[in-house]
Amino acid sequence: MNVLILDGNQNQSVASVRSLARAGHTVFVGESASWSKAGWSRCSSGTLRYTDPKSSAREFVSCIVDFIRQHPGTLILPMTEATTLPIASHRDELLQAGAKLLLPEQQDLLRAFDKDETTRLASSLGIRVPQTALIHDSEEAIALSESLKYPLVLKPKASEATVAGKIQTGGRPRYARNREEFQRAYRNIAARSAAVLVQEFVPGEGTGYFALMHHGEPRAEFAHRRIRDVYPTGSGSAVRVSVAPDPEIRNASLAILARLRWHGVAMVEFRKEQDMPPVFLEVNGRFWHSLPLACYAGVDFPLLLATMAEKGDIPPQTGYTQGVRCRWMLGDFRHLVEVFKGPPVGYPGAYPGKFRTLIDVLTPVPGTYHDLFQWSDPLPEFGDWIQGFSKLVRGA
């Protein structure tokens, strides 16, 4: 089967290319840039450069439709919200062109991408959630800044949203310990998001449950423990190890995904304090950045999803190897940089020490796998550092 993997500069794209090519599929890689690290993989059979959906979702879809007409029967695998949203909203057009898709119903997908909606859903299921408020304008922001208990986290209502025919990125969360920091954080996020979600700050470690679902029923699962995050505030694992799913988190995640009638892969994220029930944060209805670890541990999510797309369903998968450790080298370097920069404005939680972090990052751990580097396929790792350096230069 032909497979078109979008978002070729994502780590999960590299893992998917390698997985599906090893299984005998012909894999193409799409990206809005002129090159991508997944496109540089030896496992890629070709590349497609498409219009960035953040510039024009309509032109992006037209590029994909043209490709599908040349390669009918191709399975499309979007790797981010930015490509998932236009693919899902134009699914009929893509299916008529000859594409294969494996996505939930449109209303279920939009519910999953809406942080306010999923928070209310989790609460209705008896799952612990942060105290939450939704702000639509500056007057509400002023009123809430004077009435809510600090510290607080402010985040966009959705990580990505369709606005005026473009995909708009909401950006990272912001933190506030007082009214001044609250107003500054609100203005920052409101410039990119139609509504701002405000939640109480929840201490503890970030953790999640990863699953492949078939219309609300589980077909495969995975969990890991984070060792170091790219952002020490708890986002984007740089080093992690495979573990058995936490029973409480597993049950809560499956309850949410079942109610969403989820079809495809998803990650459900929580915060967990020792001896306390987990607190629901959000649903990520797509492949996740740390996907390579699941593949190394024996849960080949890309291949399982492709098989489901071909055959309609697969038998439930059980078991995987625990204790497998995996590292994203550039992400670990970024973790070190973030630690030396210090905590973001308003962040109330514990933050790693600089010397201890330096020692940990520089000390090799035998047996560790790598998200991108493989001796048999080295170019994706090389491309990752080029991409990271390019972002640094553009930022400067």
Side-chain angles (χ1 to χ4, degrees):
M1 179 173 65
N2 288 340
V3 182
L4 173 62
I5 293 174
L6 308 180
D7 308 286
N9 270 319
Q10 300 293 319
N11 287 11
Q12 57 267 42
S13 301
V14 176
S16 297
V17 170
R18 288 169 171 167
S19 161
L20 294 168
R22 282 197 303 265
H25 297 290
T26 301
V27 187
F28 301 89
V29 177
E31 178 55 78
S32 59
S34 59
W35 63 273
S36 69
K37 56 195 180 190
W40 279 6
S41 170
R42 289 177 176 174
C43 299
S44 172
S45 296
T47 59
L48 167 68
R49 185 177 185 181
Y50 48 69
T51 300
D52 189 341
K54 295 176 183 178
S55 299
S56 172
R58 176 64 262 177
E59 291 183 18
F60 161 75
V61 172
S62 295
C63 292
I64 305 301
V65 167
D66 290 343
F67 179 89
I68 294 300
R69 285 173 177 160
Q70 298 173 36
H71 304 84
T74 296
L75 172 65
I76 303 173
L77 294 184
M79 297 284 153
T80 66
E81 287 96 337
T83 54
T84 300
L85 283 169
I87 290 294
S89 61
H90 292 83
R91 68 181 74 201
D92 290 342
E93 181 181 354
L94 289 160
L95 291 171
Q96 289 174 7
K100 291 183 179 180
L101 297 171
L102 199 148
L103 294 168
E105 295 296 327
Q106 182 71 0
Q107 62 181 11
D108 298 326
L109 184 141
L110 294 177
R111 288 176 69 202
F113 285 4
D114 186 322
K115 293 180 174 63
D116 182 53
E117 177 75 24
T118 53
T119 299
R120 287 189 282 112
L121 171 60
S123 179
S124 73
L125 294 169
I127 298 166
R128 189 179 170 207
V129 300
Q131 286 189 320
T132 302
L134 190 63
I135 304 176
H136 296 91
D137 56 47
S138 57
E139 290 184 1
E140 289 183 352
I142 293 171
L144 284 172
S145 70
E146 296 173 349
S147 62
L148 293 176
K149 182 180 178 181
Y150 293 90
L152 298 168
V153 184
L154 290 82
K155 58 183 74 171
K157 185 171 182 280
S159 299
E160 310 278 353
T162 304
V163 179
K166 301 177 181 179
I167 302 300
Q168 182 171 291
T169 300
R172 293 187 50 72
R174 296 290 188 270
Y175 303 90
R177 294 165 296 187
N178 52 54
R179 285 183 292 177
E180 290 73 21
E181 290 177 348
F182 182 100
Q183 289 298 328
R184 191 181 309 126
Y186 168 74
R187 289 192 296 270
N188 181 286
I189 298 173
R192 301 183 304 275
S193 177
V196 178
L197 202 69
V198 182
Q199 295 181 322
E200 65 173 321
F201 176 80
V202 180
E205 294 184 352
T207 187
Y209 177 78
F210 309 87
L212 172 62
M213 307 293 290
H214 182 269
H215 298 297
E217 297 182 356
R219 292 296 181 265
E221 66 178 8
F222 183 72
H224 67 231
R225 177 175 58 83
R226 298 176 181 182
I227 297 173
R228 288 190 294 276
D229 285 325
V230 177
Y231 296 97
T233 53
S235 176
S237 67
V239 184
R240 80 299 294 191
V241 61
S242 59
V243 298
D246 178 289
E248 279 188 291
I249 290 176
R250 181 183 189 272
N251 292 338
S253 299
L254 289 177
I256 292 168
L257 295 174
R259 187 65 63 87
L260 288 170
R261 301 180 294 274
W262 195 254
H263 192 55
V265 293
M267 172 199 178
V268 188
E269 190 171 358
F270 295 81
R271 280 271 191 173
K272 184 76 165 65
E273 280 189 284
Q274 191 172 9
D275 301 326
M276 293 288 288
V279 179
F280 169 80
L281 294 183
E282 63 184 25
V283 174
N284 292 312
R286 52 169 174 77
F287 281 109
W288 46 92
H289 215 66
S290 60
L291 175 65
L293 172 59
C295 295
Y296 287 130
V299 190
D300 196 337
F301 282 102
L303 181 57
L304 293 171
L305 187 145
T307 305
M308 184 184 291
E310 272 192 304
K311 298 183 178 180
D313 197 2
I314 59 172
Q317 310 295 301
T318 57
Y320 53 85
T321 304
Q322 298 178 35
V324 179
R325 181 183 173 110
C326 194
R327 181 190 191 197
W328 176 24
M329 285 196 284
L330 177 59
D332 213 11
F333 174 75
R334 287 170 56 185
H335 169 84
L336 181 63
V337 171
E338 292 295 327
V339 169
F340 272 77
K341 283 167 59 178
V345 174
Y347 183 68
Y351 214 70
K354 296 177 182 179
F355 179 73
R356 179 72 260 173
T357 299
L358 180 64
I359 296 299
D360 289 343
V361 170
L362 295 180
T363 302
V365 177
T368 299
Y369 289 88
H370 295 279
D371 281 11
L372 299 175
F373 181 74
Q374 293 182 358
W375 286 110
S376 60
D377 189 24
L379 287 183
E381 178 70 43
F382 182 59
D384 193 36
W385 286 90
I386 292 177
Q387 183 194 24
F389 182 73
S390 299
K391 286 183 177 179
L392 182 65
V393 170
R394 288 197 301 271

